[in-house]
Amino acid sequence: RQHRFFAGVDVNQMDRLNEQLQLALLAYADSMQEIQTTLQKDFDCELAYCDMESTPGRPSHFIAVNKNSIEKQESALSFFSSDASTLEVIMVVRGTKTITDIITDLLMDEEEYKGGYCHNGILESGQYLAEKHTKLFRNLLRASGKKKIKLTLIGHSLGAGAATIAGMELNELPEMDVQVIGFGCPALLSKELSQQTESFVTTVVADNDCIPRMSSATMLNAILDIAGFDWTPYAKQDIKEAVNEVSSYFPTLLKDYKQTILDTVSSQPLRDIPANIPTKRVEPVLYPPGKCVHLYRDGFGISGNVVPCTFFSELDINRRMLHDHTVDAGYQLIFLDLMRQHHEDHYFQFEKEKK
């Protein structure tokens, strides 16, 4: 990986990203009451709309208004502005939680969109959100007496993808100032289309999170790589080490057979690599959207860089590829590890987590 050629992450933005991550996590709550109470208590926001149910192409989400932008007081959220002419609104889209969400995830054919290509199932979800709520946003703006809405769309996983598409649609409206923050967003847009969204879309990727790297092309390439991988030298070495270890503890057990076993292992092929496996790999079409912030374990600690979307063009098969996609064991953990390293404080907690 060529991280060193790209700009590092500003740790001063981590408080803001953590606030947005907590909102993405809130979308997974089991009740509307929990969402409403938490928004009022921790984020000084009033719930304006909430849909707890999801169907294919219709993700669960909620919309909230910053009370302080109405009352002209200082906001509790760092990513809200203090512009008196702006109404601060957030839309948070839930990620994969039910079987219907999984159906949307699996509809991953590339569909033409805005001169490029997009994940088919998520495209439908994002367009649904934009179409459904355009009237609501205009009504909120009219009732507030403000000139413009600053809309921050937030999501994790599937929710990040749907939020991105909705943001692309709503950003075309003159009364909307749109920013999108996604955590673990799936491979969503073609390269050129992703680059066009860098000014208002940020995708955060935790280390080896497999979802931003997962498309039909990268999955096929991973299968071909695994099928064509010659693991016999490693297997033979393991067998030799096992034989030597047994011999060291029980010298008489393999006394008459040890060399025969070792010679047989060295001379016999353990598997034949299929000759018909293609050597050429499929070029990925879809990548995570916008400006990509990659937080990763570098062998010494946690580092972070702003990297191109094409950085995530292949699946990294390893033991943390699923853990790193989750909010708690992936994103919250790497956020905390980065800040504890930065502050040289093993007990560091973000302000909202201290309450």
Side-chain angles (χ1 to χ4, degrees):
R1 295 301 187 187
Q2 304 297 314
H3 288 91
R4 63 182 178 275
F5 296 115
F6 302 103
V9 170
D10 180 4
V11 294
N12 294 320
Q13 70 177 317
M14 294 309 298
D15 282 329
R16 172 177 59 82
L17 287 175
N18 184 66
E19 289 174 350
Q20 293 160 338
L21 181 63
Q22 299 312 309
L23 285 165
L25 179 61
L26 182 60
Y28 289 97
D30 293 324
S31 71
M32 187 185 306
Q33 183 62 47
E34 181 181 350
I35 293 175
Q36 186 173 32
T37 301
T38 303
L39 284 172
Q40 292 174 342
K41 179 183 176 183
D42 295 342
F43 299 101
D44 288 335
C45 289
E46 284 291 345
L47 188 64
Y49 179 91
C50 184
D51 185 356
M52 299 295 294
E53 301 299 322
S54 64
T55 58
R58 308 288 189 271
S60 172
H61 61 285
F62 67 83
I63 296 171
V65 179
N66 175 23
K67 292 189 296 184
N68 296 311
S69 72
I70 300 174
E71 299 167 1
K72 299 180 181 180
Q73 298 176 1
E74 184 177 351
S75 174
L77 293 175
S78 63
F79 61 88
F80 281 158
S81 72
S82 57
D83 186 352
S85 65
T86 301
L87 179 66
E88 307 277 2
V89 180
I90 56 173
M91 178 193 286
V92 185
V93 189
R94 193 184 74 193
T96 303
K97 185 178 182 181
T98 66
I99 188 66
T100 56
D101 298 325
I102 294 174
I103 293 173
T104 301
D105 291 330
L106 294 176
L107 298 173
M108 59 173 61
D109 289 342
E110 298 97 5
E111 183 171 330
E112 290 188 12
Y113 178 62
K114 293 185 180 295
Y117 292 92
C118 182
H119 184 295
N120 175 269
I122 297 178
L123 174 60
E124 181 183 350
S125 298
Q127 289 179 323
Y128 162 77
L129 293 173
E131 182 179 353
K132 179 177 179 62
H133 293 301
T134 297
K135 184 176 180 180
L136 172 61
F137 291 137
R138 285 173 172 163
N139 288 341
L140 288 172
L141 184 61
R142 188 180 306 111
S144 71
K146 306 285 186 177
K147 296 180 179 180
K148 203 163 189 176
I149 286 182
K150 179 183 178 184
L151 176 64
T152 303
L153 297 103
I154 300 168
H156 167 254
S157 190
L158 167 64
T164 297
I165 299 301
M168 293 173 69
E169 297 283 324
L170 293 168
N171 198 46
E172 296 177 351
L173 302 178
E175 66 270 30
M176 305 288 279
D177 178 12
V178 171
Q179 289 292 318
V180 182
I181 305 295
F183 302 93
C185 183
L188 180 67
L189 302 174
S190 52
K191 176 183 174 182
E192 292 75 15
L193 203 53
S194 174
Q195 292 171 339
Q196 291 171 20
T197 67
E198 288 180 355
S199 62
F200 65 96
V201 176
T202 299
T203 295
V204 182
V205 180
D207 205 10
N208 292 307
D209 184 350
C210 64
I211 299 302
R213 301 170 165 90
M214 188 176 291
S215 66
S216 54
T218 59
M219 288 191 291
L220 175 60
N221 289 341
I223 292 171
L224 293 175
D225 289 342
I226 292 170
F229 179 67
D230 185 8
W231 45 262
T232 53
Y234 306 96
K236 289 181 177 182
Q237 183 62 32
D238 287 344
I239 295 172
K240 290 178 182 179
E241 290 178 359
V243 169
N244 289 329
E245 193 72 11
V246 171
S247 297
S248 67
Y249 281 98
F250 307 101
T252 60
L253 185 62
L254 300 177
K255 181 179 179 182
D256 299 326
Y257 307 102
K258 176 181 176 181
Q259 194 57 48
T260 301
I261 294 173
L262 293 177
D263 290 343
T264 301
V265 169
S266 298
S267 61
Q268 296 295 321
L270 298 182
R271 72 175 291 233
D272 294 322
I273 303 296
N276 60 345
I277 295 178
T279 57
K280 187 176 180 179
R281 296 297 180 256
V282 180
E283 187 69 25
V285 176
L286 302 181
Y287 299 91
K291 181 177 68 174
C292 294
V293 176
H294 190 207
L295 305 177
Y296 59 96
R297 298 168 180 88
D298 59 13
F300 299 96
I302 307 297
S303 294
N305 294 87
V306 179
V307 298
C309 64
T310 53
F311 216 68
F312 306 98
S313 60
E314 62 183 39
L315 277 172
D316 288 337
I317 308 298
N318 60 72
R319 66 182 66 184
R320 286 206 58 91
M321 59 188 291
L322 295 177
H323 282 85
D324 284 341
H325 183 63
T326 63
V327 175
D328 51 356
Y331 286 84
Q332 286 183 331
L333 180 61
I334 204 165
F335 279 22
L336 275 174
D337 285 347
L338 174 62
M339 296 308 290
R340 288 170 178 173
Q341 170 187 291
H342 173 71
H343 290 287
E344 299 182 348
D345 177 6
H346 295 299
Y347 301 99
F348 171 86
Q349 294 287 330
F350 288 100
E351 287 298 325
K352 286 193 177 297
E353 295 171 355
K354 295 178 181 178
K355 296 180 180 180

